[in-house]
Amino acid sequence: MIEVSEFRKAYDGVLAVDRVDFQVQPGQILGLIGPNGAGKTTTLRALCGLTVPTEGHLSVCGYDIEQQPLEVKKRLAYIPDDPPLFPELTVEQHLAFTASVFSVKNADEKASRLLEMFELSSKRKNRASDLSRGMRQKLALSCSYLHQPEVILLDEPMTGLDPHGIRKLKESLQSRADEGVAVVISSHLLAMVEDICSHVLILKEGQQRFFGTISELKSLFNSESNEATLEQIFFQATATVSSLGINVKKTEAIAL
Ligand code: ATP
């Protein structure tokens, strides 16, 4: 569903992402983790066509992102860490606009259910500029769920959400994955990643340190037992290459 091969991105000659390879199948949730500046947002932006790759091949639902961008955009939702809303439009106008762009059937009914789920029903008539940070995040999530995308990309989606919102988001992502949606979440909240992700991609300074399932990651970094948390493993995986002696691109290539 998502195929990324040998992806590289340089900004003004500075390499932000260097030869990253990963795949996300329907029903999988990939956690994209790494220190600040690792290349997570760059990778997400390349996946939705907002950043042009310097090298490599990226496809979504079988469509090449550079050659068939419209086909990709029809099937994908991207929620950046500070979602760009229209300040003058109300909550319900955002949903109506999204429904119209994506030709959503039964949009009013679906929109009402989403507003209820994210506790935004009482804000239907409020303009986006009058919403709190967390409410803006919930509105962006509602708009993205409305058109039932096959692929959902989220950049730091928990920022600003209250505990109820976090729980609803986790449950809703899990249920969409159960329906066959492919999800990628960039986050520094490692407990959340461990909780809901099936797979993890670890980047550091644009280099791929690991891609595979959470259990493969645990057995790689913790061969004695499987008890280490993702947070403990994260510090090992993002230690300097020279001190650790690894730079794992594919789990099948592991030879420690
Ligand atoms: P964070 O966790 O801080 O959000 P990130 O992993 O999302 O970081 P990116 O935003 O992808 O990291 O940035 C990766 C590298 O690319 C950084 O060194 C950053 O300075 C650089 N970079 C990102 N966007 C641009 C840009 N538009 N122009 C120049 N350099 C950029």
Side-chain angles (χ1 to χ4, degrees):
M1 181 148 297
I2 296 175
E3 296 274 345
V4 174
S5 162
E6 296 283 301
F7 167 53
R8 303 181 93 208
K9 176 67 188 179
Y11 294 105
D12 299 326
V14 177
L15 207 49
V17 178
D18 189 14
R19 297 192 199 289
V20 165
D21 288 289
F22 66 93
Q23 306 80 38
V24 190
Q25 302 303 335
Q28 294 181 348
I29 304 181
L30 173 70
L32 186 48
I33 62 176
N36 293 135
K40 303 181 295 297
T41 299
T42 301
T43 302
L44 290 178
R45 285 174 60 81
L47 272 174
C48 50
L50 293 173
T51 291
V52 179
T54 306
E55 278 178 45
H57 181 255
L58 297 90
S59 70
V60 169
C61 303
Y63 296 100
D64 183 280
I65 288 162
E66 286 186 271
Q67 306 299 322
Q68 298 154 296
L70 200 56
E71 295 302 328
V72 171
K73 287 182 171 109
K74 280 182 196 168
R75 292 163 175 83
L76 177 143
Y78 170 53
I79 300 121
D81 57 354
D82 191 6
L85 299 173
F86 301 101
E88 298 302 318
L89 293 191
T90 65
V91 166
E92 61 185 14
Q93 285 170 337
H94 274 87
L95 288 156
F97 175 70
T98 306
S100 142
V101 169
F102 287 92
S103 307
V104 178
K105 294 194 176 68
N106 303 322
D108 289 348
E109 190 189 319
K110 288 175 187 164
S112 292
R113 275 206 301 271
L114 287 164
L115 292 180
E116 200 173 318
M117 180 172 90
F118 284 117
E119 299 186 314
L120 277 182
S121 299
S122 65
K123 300 287 179 183
R124 293 184 85 103
K125 305 284 181 197
N126 285 64
R127 292 185 309 177
S129 57
D130 301 337
L131 299 177
S132 72
R133 171 78 180 80
M135 287 172 186
R136 289 200 299 277
Q137 186 73 359
K138 288 174 176 177
L139 175 55
L141 289 163
S142 301
C143 289
S144 67
Y145 285 0
L146 185 64
H147 64 92
Q148 295 175 297
E150 294 172 54
V151 170
I152 302 178
L153 311 175
L154 306 110
D155 201 350
E156 287 292 346
M158 307 300 175
T159 310
L161 292 185
D162 58 24
H164 186 267
I166 290 174
R167 178 181 288 182
K168 283 287 167 195
L169 176 58
K170 282 161 62 174
E171 287 172 358
S172 62
L173 288 174
Q174 194 64 68
S175 73
R176 271 151 190 80
D178 291 345
E179 290 164 8
V181 174
V183 180
V184 183
I185 307 175
S186 162
S187 183
H188 296 295
L189 303 178
L190 300 177
M192 183 277 296
V193 170
E194 188 167 11
D195 199 18
I196 67 165
C197 293
S198 56
H199 291 67
V200 67
L201 172 65
I202 303 179
L203 298 178
K204 186 184 179 192
E205 295 170 355
Q207 305 281 325
Q208 183 164 324
R209 291 297 177 91
F210 176 83
F211 168 62
T213 65
I214 298 247
S215 57
E216 284 168 342
L217 178 68
K218 288 193 169 187
S219 55
L220 172 65
F221 283 93
N222 192 30
S223 53
E224 297 297 309
S225 75
N226 253 8
E227 284 170 13
T229 63
L230 183 58
E231 184 180 79
Q232 289 166 327
I233 292 170
F234 177 86
F235 289 113
Q236 289 182 59
T238 54
T240 59
V241 175
S242 55
S243 68
L244 201 60
I246 64 162
N247 185 1
V248 180
K249 292 201 91 168
K250 291 189 187 297
T251 48
E252 56 267 29
I254 292 166
L256 288 176

